[in-house]
Amino acid sequence: MNASPAITIRPARPADVEIIAQFNRLLARETEGYELDPATIFSGVQAVLNDPRKGRYLLACADEKIVGQLMHTFEWSDWRNGELWWLQSVYVDTEFRRRGVFR
């Protein structure tokens, strides 16, 4: 039996825009039966990658292959006098599900 590759987490880079946009399209299709416009989602992902104030993508990698993602955005909480992170755009490649990628 082959051991599964170790999962590492890294911040997304501008060169990752295609895979992130693809994962977002798959996420919308799987969860809502919705087809995202490829040009719009590509531009939206680029906007986040180019402006960290909008949010940040973190990528899960098995060896060098990107197998999962999440994006976090920020919200100020006056109740807590601090920043909250909202997790969204969570997706794990079907081949790597139930293998602890998101954990």
Side-chain angles (χ1 to χ4, degrees):
M1 182 168 130
N2 292 336
S4 296
I7 301 297
T8 58
I9 306 299
R10 69 165 174 83
R13 301 183 283 255
D16 300 319
V17 65
E18 287 283 348
I19 188 71
I20 296 169
Q22 176 186 346
F23 279 179
N24 281 334
R25 288 192 308 272
L26 291 169
L27 174 63
R29 185 178 303 141
E30 284 182 33
T31 60
E32 299 182 33
Y34 187 76
E35 294 295 327
L36 296 175
D37 176 64
T40 301
I41 191 61
F42 186 91
S43 295
V45 170
Q46 274 188 320
V48 172
L49 293 174
N50 292 332
D51 183 357
R53 294 172 301 162
K54 288 182 172 40
R56 179 171 72 153
Y57 284 99
L58 297 174
L59 304 178
C61 302
D63 295 323
E64 296 299 313
K65 181 180 179 179
I66 297 168
V67 299
Q69 72 177 31
L70 68 76
M71 179 177 70
H72 75 75
T73 55
F74 313 95
E75 178 182 315
W76 181 257
S77 171
D78 54 352
W79 288 17
R80 294 171 182 86
N81 190 28
E83 189 174 82
L84 300 177
W85 285 11
W86 289 99
L87 300 183
Q88 53 198 58
S89 298
V90 175
Y91 187 81
V92 175
D93 186 307
T94 55
E95 180 185 334
F96 284 83
R97 291 184 187 165
R98 306 189 76 65
R99 292 171 62 182
V101 172
F102 189 65
R103 194 171 0 147

